[in-house]
Amino acid sequence: MSYEEVIFYFVAAVTVLGALGVVLTRNVVHSALFLILALLAVAGVFILLSAEFLAIVQILIYGGAVTILILFVMMLTRVRDMPQALDGPQRPFAALAAGAFLVLSVLAALSSDWPGETREITVVPFREMGEALFRDWAVPFEVASLVLLVALIGAIVLARGEEGE
Amino acid sequence: MVGMGEAWLIPAIPAAAFVILLLVGKYLPRRGDWLAIGAMAAAFVLFFAVLIDLLGEVGKPDFVGVTSSIEWVRFDLPSGLEFELRLGFFVDQLAVVMLAVVTFVTLMVMVYSTGYMKDDPRYGWYFAAISMFAAAMLALVLADNFLLLYAAWEGVGFGSYLLIGFWHEKRSAAEAAKKAFITTRIGDVGLLIGIILLWREAGTFDISEIFEFAEAGGYSTAYLTTAVLFLFAGAVGKSAQFPLHVWLPDAMEGPTPVSALIHAATMVVAGVYLVARLMPLFVVADPIALNIITAVGLTTVMMSATMGLVATDLKRVIAYSTINSLGLMMVALGSLSVSAAMLYLFAHGFFKALLFLAAGSVIHATDRQELSDLGGLARRMPVTAAVFAVGALSMAGIVPLAGFWAKDEILNVVGDSQNFVVYGFLMLSVFITALYMTRVVILTFLGEPGDREAHQHAHDAEPVMTLPLLLLAGLTVLAGFVVFDGVGEALGFPGGIGEFVFLEGPEAFHFPWDVAVLSTLSAVAGLVGGFYFWSGEAEPARRAGELFRPAYKILKRKFYMDDIYQWTIDRVVLAAGGVLAWFDRNVVNDTGVDGSAGLGVLAGYGMKFLETGKLPNYALAIVTGVIVLAIVFMAVRV
Amino acid sequence: MIPIENFLVLSSILFSIGIYGVLARRNAVLIIMSVELMLQAVSINFIAFAVYLYPEQFTGLIFAIFVITIAAAEVGLALGIILRIFRNKGTSNVDEVDMLKW
């Protein structure tokens, strides 16, 4: 086993552990903390895939902004004070569906005949990717910016509350 | 120069007047009656233009008529067949006679109506309806193909429905309009079947092409006989022949000028005209068709004449006399004599319109139409009485009025071509006709008034109503003389009007003294008998009525025809309708329509519980769907 | 070197865990977090395909960037909605918000 594989299995184990923690833990704040763990591990997976830029973005946006936001909302909606169970009544079905999906997905991944090289990573130059993003993908990029803007304005409008509230 | 090519204008002008009256009639001064009359006068003038043009053409060899048509519909079917409908107008001598009667009588009736209908709240609508009726009738006369003919035929029926039911607030008028429409519809269905049968074999609706096809032996005899009998059914309905005559007496619920126009001079003779127009088909068909026409005509003549003897309503008596006349025309057609039938039609148009309009004046003046309420009016309304007497004598067939010549011609051809039974019955009908015409004249104008108060206020009508009466009376006196070649030649008709229009050969009009004398004797006997029975206290009539009580009762009940029909409608038609209604209500409506709707409601009610409104359930459904689709895709790929 | 299947299996596991979370959890915030896990799995897939199979194209990488962008927008908006619901109904449990039915 090469050291790369060792690192991969370690990172993958952390990712799965974090993810399971997110969906299984009884404490919502722990759940959020497990999410941070999983996201950071995914950033590690990105690095293994030689996409360092995305790993950095992942840590900044997810590890920073998104989880903070989630924790804020948890605080505002007083989730911890709620006495009800965290899981709904259809938990067995959920497990069944997730398991079925997992089997199907893994089967598909292993049985597919992928074109091209599947053993070696070709390192993508960071600079060329930036050029492609701002040249060939300029319009989708701008549209995505617009989506972000609209979503933020919408979120503000929704969260701000009625006049006099 | 306007000629036969422009004949289409004759129906088009009244039709245009109808449309204008319908749209803007109530904004016009006098509610547009001048427009309707002007349109009709224009049609009448155009008739002369067409007549003059026709006179120039008719001498040419092989002349059969002038047709002008336009292509209406045309398909090229994929199978290579082409289907073409032409729409056009056809003018020949026959059509010209009808044009003369229709345009002139309609014009007279319209002028008369300006007086008669003066105070009616729907005065404008009346003229619109009459214009529509006239347009349809003229189109019917001029149609060169069966489709246009049928459309116009139904238009005429619809106009008649509107006008009979003109005072539809009155229940009896509404009922009569319905009765007339439905009864004639029965015949119309026959006409339609006949047209379809003719078209199926010949592949054309054009009348002259169908003639050629039939004469070339295109139809088998049995097929053609069936077809023409169906066509004749249409004529039976429209021309009030036995057994569909029952609507005509009831149609007297309409305004009297309408009775004069529709139920005397124009619409009811449409059936006669139809048979006359299609005579070439009847000639080719089995002779039994003609025998049926004769038999129906003769039955009609005898039934109507006898019913006329006992009818107590002034207008109804004249209505029975109309049915009587129509039967006579049918007998003439059954004897293969188009000319005699058309001559009678021509004369009848004038004197019957005259009778109705004069009766209208009586009703207008007295507001009564029961014969028992009338009487002695000759002193109060001398002009009306005089013209009515002229009309009645013409109907009775007294020399030298128009009715005499026409009836004489019919008796003549019947005597030549039918057996003596038919001839004898017709002679008898002449006697009965004279009898009841005398009766109606005596009971209306002579003797003592039945209703003194009405009698006090009666007087001759205003000039606008009297003038048409006088014109029609003049024509009643003079029209018969067209049978003499000398008269026709003097008017510019080559070989006389008789040869030009009515009679195919120069020697066709003959005047055998035996027939003339016999018919005159019958008629005079009728007159004398009428005076004997009904003058003064009418004692002999009462005694005769008691003596033949059962016969009198049968006549009073109109041979129980109405009762039979009513029984049939109640017991058969309505019973069958009840079954159908039950089927419709229970099976079609409750089970079919409501049932399927109820199934939908039930299904929806059950299914709505699938919608829990809970997000996790929906999410689970989505995931399940994805998994199922994934399995399907993998199974297909492998 | 690590074969591509390893990454695909990892992303499958991650995605399935996300599915389980979305379906089993009641609280809207927890569901959002599970959705984030699913999005992460998708990103891994995109990047893996990009660097293994089509290194001359950048489509996968750029899509991963867009996924992150849209995810950020989605989280912001969804949390706004959750706050709104909480204020109006006093709960953030999705199975108690079921007015949209018969």
Side-chain angles (χ1 to χ4, degrees):
Chain A
M1 214 198 288
S2 69
Y3 69 97
E4 286 160 330
E5 281 180 311
V6 172
I7 295 173
F8 172 78
Y9 286 119
F10 175 70
V11 170
V14 174
T15 307
V16 172
L17 192 74
L20 285 174
V22 169
V23 297
L24 293 178
T25 180
R26 315 294 309 162
N27 186 319
V28 286
V29 177
H30 293 175
S31 191
L33 296 177
F34 274 120
L35 180 64
I36 295 175
L37 181 65
L39 295 174
L40 291 177
V42 170
V45 174
F46 287 174
I47 290 171
L48 279 172
L49 285 166
S50 76
E52 317 89 353
F53 172 68
L54 279 162
I56 294 163
V57 168
Q58 167 88 0
I59 292 166
L60 282 178
I61 293 178
Y62 275 107
V66 171
T67 32
I68 299 296
L69 200 56
I70 285 171
L71 283 169
F72 259 111
V73 172
M74 281 183 175
M75 189 183 77
L76 285 172
T77 58
R78 296 196 289 279
V79 178
R80 289 184 71 186
D81 303 345
M82 295 290 158
Q84 299 102 324
L86 284 174
D87 289 341
Q90 63 174 13
R91 210 172 127 184
F93 297 105
L96 200 67
F101 187 87
L102 179 61
V103 170
L104 285 169
S105 183
V106 170
L107 257 173
L110 296 180
S111 67
S112 291
D113 194 12
W114 303 111
E117 177 61 61
T118 59
R119 304 262 131 206
E120 288 292 329
I121 290 176
T122 313
V123 178
V124 175
F126 186 57
R127 185 189 171 86
E128 280 178 29
M129 192 189 88
E131 280 176 0
L133 180 62
F134 291 108
R135 190 181 295 139
D136 302 341
W137 296 82
V139 172
F141 182 83
E142 293 301 329
V143 172
S145 318
L146 201 63
V147 169
L148 209 51
L149 179 67
V150 170
L152 290 179
I153 293 172
I156 291 167
V157 170
L158 279 169
R160 189 185 55 176
E162 311 278 319
E163 294 291 321
E165 196 179 347
Chain B
M1 180 60 201
V2 180
M4 285 185 282
E6 281 71 35
W8 60 274
L9 280 169
I10 296 179
I13 293 174
F18 163 65
V19 172
I20 294 171
L21 285 175
L22 203 62
L23 295 178
V24 298
K26 57 182 157 178
Y27 307 112
L28 295 175
R30 289 181 58 83
R31 289 193 265 170
D33 61 350
W34 51 272
L35 185 68
I37 293 173
M40 211 55 234
F44 186 52
V45 170
L46 268 172
F47 152 69
F48 281 105
V50 169
L51 177 66
I52 290 164
D53 196 16
L54 182 69
L55 282 179
E57 295 286 327
V58 80
K60 294 176 185 166
D62 299 332
F63 175 82
V64 286
V66 171
T67 182
S68 52
S69 61
I70 53 159
E71 188 176 273
W72 186 30
V73 187
R74 186 192 174 92
F75 313 99
D76 288 319
L77 300 176
S79 56
L81 281 167
E82 54 185 51
F83 179 79
E84 187 186 24
L85 282 184
R86 297 191 72 80
L87 199 62
F89 293 99
F90 178 80
V91 185
D92 67 352
Q93 294 95 318
L94 206 60
V96 158
V97 177
M98 282 297 282
L99 285 184
V101 175
V102 174
T103 51
F104 181 70
V105 174
T106 310
L107 189 59
M108 287 301 106
V109 166
M110 280 183 170
V111 171
Y112 179 91
S113 300
T114 57
Y116 190 87
M117 302 297 288
K118 195 164 47 190
D119 304 321
D120 196 277
R122 284 196 297 270
Y123 184 78
W125 168 237
Y126 175 83
F127 279 93
I130 285 222
S131 294
M132 179 260 167
F133 168 80
M137 186 67 205
L138 292 167
L140 165 67
V141 168
L142 291 171
D144 83 329
N145 67 77
F146 274 112
L147 277 188
L148 180 60
L149 183 134
Y150 187 74
W153 183 273
E154 294 297 354
V156 165
F158 179 61
S160 154
Y161 172 78
L162 290 181
L163 289 166
I164 294 171
F166 185 72
W167 289 317
H168 52 72
E169 297 87 351
K170 206 163 70 171
R171 189 173 166 76
S172 58
E175 296 274 326
K178 203 164 68 181
K179 183 172 178 179
F181 195 66
I182 294 173
T183 312
T184 52
R185 284 292 311 165
I186 294 172
D188 294 351
V189 172
L191 176 64
L192 187 59
I193 294 172
I195 290 172
I196 292 170
L197 285 176
L198 290 178
W199 169 78
R200 221 181 66 146
E201 293 287 304
T204 176
F205 286 108
D206 188 278
I207 293 175
S208 37
E209 283 174 23
I210 285 182
F211 286 171
E212 284 166 22
F213 186 77
E215 276 153 14
Y219 300 104
S220 74
T221 308
Y223 188 90
L224 183 61
T225 309
T226 315
V228 295
L229 284 175
F230 273 117
L231 294 176
F232 179 62
V236 167
K238 210 57 120 197
S239 285
Q241 298 295 297
F242 173 84
L244 297 181
H245 63 269
V246 293
W247 66 270
L248 187 58
D250 287 20
M252 296 303 130
E253 292 292 343
T256 308
V258 166
S259 306
L261 174 64
I262 298 183
H263 311 116
T266 58
M267 180 182 102
V268 289
V269 297
V272 176
Y273 176 74
L274 179 77
V275 177
R277 162 65 78 210
L278 303 178
M279 193 45 88
L281 293 180
F282 286 89
V283 172
V284 180
D286 194 277
I288 192 143
L290 289 172
N291 290 340
I292 288 173
I293 295 179
T294 309
V296 168
L298 196 62
T299 315
T300 310
V301 168
M302 294 315 292
M303 284 180 82
S304 58
T306 46
M307 285 190 284
L309 277 176
V310 301
T312 56
D313 181 302
L314 173 57
K315 280 177 77 181
R316 274 177 187 262
V317 176
I318 309 176
Y320 283 122
S321 82
T322 303
I323 303 179
N324 186 344
S325 300
L326 293 166
L328 272 178
M329 292 182 222
M330 283 297 176
V331 172
L333 290 170
S335 314
L336 260 181
S337 179
V338 173
S339 48
M342 290 310 284
L343 177 62
Y344 196 94
L345 191 160
F346 180 70
H348 173 258
F350 299 130
F351 70 72
K352 193 51 58 70
L354 171 63
L355 279 173
F356 267 113
L357 292 183
S361 290
V362 170
I363 295 165
H364 193 61
T366 62
D367 230 4
R368 304 281 188 285
Q369 57 189 73
E370 278 295 310
L371 286 174
S372 54
D373 291 342
L374 300 169
L377 286 171
R379 275 166 282 154
R380 291 277 168 187
M381 333 175 51
V383 179
T384 309
V387 295
F388 191 91
V390 169
L393 289 175
S394 180
M395 179 71 210
I398 299 296
V399 164
L401 302 172
F404 167 76
W405 304 103
K407 180 178 278 188
D408 197 63
E409 186 62 24
I410 290 180
L411 285 169
N412 210 351
V413 296
V414 169
D416 286 350
S417 65
Q418 303 279 6
N419 63 36
F420 68 94
V421 178
V422 180
Y423 185 72
F425 269 118
L426 277 196
M427 217 38 118
L428 182 62
S429 87
V430 172
F431 168 72
I432 301 175
T433 307
L435 204 60
Y436 70 72
M437 286 321 292
T438 314
R439 170 178 176 260
V440 75
V441 170
I442 290 171
L443 292 183
T444 309
F445 293 102
L446 306 175
E448 286 305 306
D451 186 327
R452 298 229 163 250
E453 199 200 336
H455 184 259
Q456 288 297 322
H457 300 112
H459 57 82
D460 269 326
E462 55 193 293
V464 73
M465 287 165 71
T466 314
L467 182 70
L469 288 179
L470 292 175
L471 280 174
L472 285 166
L475 274 173
T476 303
V477 174
L478 297 175
F481 292 106
V482 296
V483 296
F484 293 107
D485 290 352
V487 176
E489 270 166 5
L491 289 172
F493 294 82
I497 296 176
E499 184 191 332
F500 164 63
V501 178
F502 299 115
L503 316 165
E504 277 80 31
E507 69 289 324
F509 179 72
H510 32 237
F511 187 71
W513 284 99
D514 55 332
V515 176
V517 169
L518 209 54
S519 82
T520 306
L521 278 179
S522 302
V524 170
L527 287 185
V528 173
F531 272 100
Y532 166 72
F533 277 121
W534 282 287
S535 61
E537 294 294 306
E539 193 56 40
R542 193 155 38 245
R543 265 187 282 120
E546 271 162 25
L547 194 59
F548 301 105
R549 185 133 210 92
Y552 181 76
K553 192 150 179 258
I554 288 174
L555 292 180
K556 271 302 237 194
R557 299 303 302 267
K558 305 175 220 164
F559 292 93
Y560 296 98
M561 293 286 286
D562 279 338
D563 302 272
I564 292 168
Y565 287 147
Q566 192 63 47
W567 186 90
T568 315
I569 290 168
D570 287 348
R571 297 297 161 87
V572 181
V573 179
L574 290 185
V579 172
L580 287 179
W582 179 90
F583 183 82
D584 180 62
R585 202 164 40 244
N586 288 297
V587 178
V588 176
N589 187 48
D590 288 0
T591 311
V593 178
D594 288 359
S596 55
L599 207 65
V601 168
L602 208 66
Y605 185 79
M607 306 264 272
K608 77 177 182 180
F609 295 106
L610 287 178
E611 304 294 318
T612 58
K614 294 187 197 306
L615 193 62
N617 300 142
Y618 296 138
L620 183 61
I622 293 170
V623 173
T624 312
V626 168
I627 291 169
V628 169
L629 280 179
I631 291 171
V632 169
F633 280 132
M634 291 182 79
V636 169
R637 197 191 61 178
V638 172
Chain C
M1 292 301 287
I2 312 159
I4 186 171
E5 281 83 4
N6 288 19
F7 291 100
L8 296 181
V9 170
L10 174 63
S11 87
S12 296
I13 294 168
L14 208 51
F15 197 86
S16 300
I17 293 170
I19 285 178
Y20 170 80
V22 167
L23 295 182
R25 293 297 203 182
R26 295 176 68 203
N27 190 286
V29 181
L30 291 170
I31 290 175
I32 293 285
M33 285 156 64
S34 304
V35 170
E36 293 306 325
L37 290 178
M38 291 162 78
L39 287 169
Q40 290 303 310
V42 171
S43 290
I44 291 173
N45 253 18
F46 272 130
I47 296 168
F49 285 135
V51 296
Y52 278 98
L53 304 180
Y54 303 103
E56 68 282 3
Q57 297 173 13
F58 311 104
T59 316
L61 294 168
I62 287 165
F63 258 84
I65 292 174
F66 284 144
V67 167
I68 292 171
T69 314
I70 301 301
E74 171 245 320
V75 168
L77 204 51
L79 292 177
I81 292 170
I82 291 166
L83 266 183
R84 186 86 239 159
I85 289 172
F86 180 75
R87 282 203 204 135
N88 286 351
K89 300 191 62 98
T91 181
S92 54
N93 286 351
V94 289
D95 54 356
E96 288 169 37
V97 184
D98 59 355
M99 286 185 301
L100 198 66
K101 62 172 179 183
W102 79 91

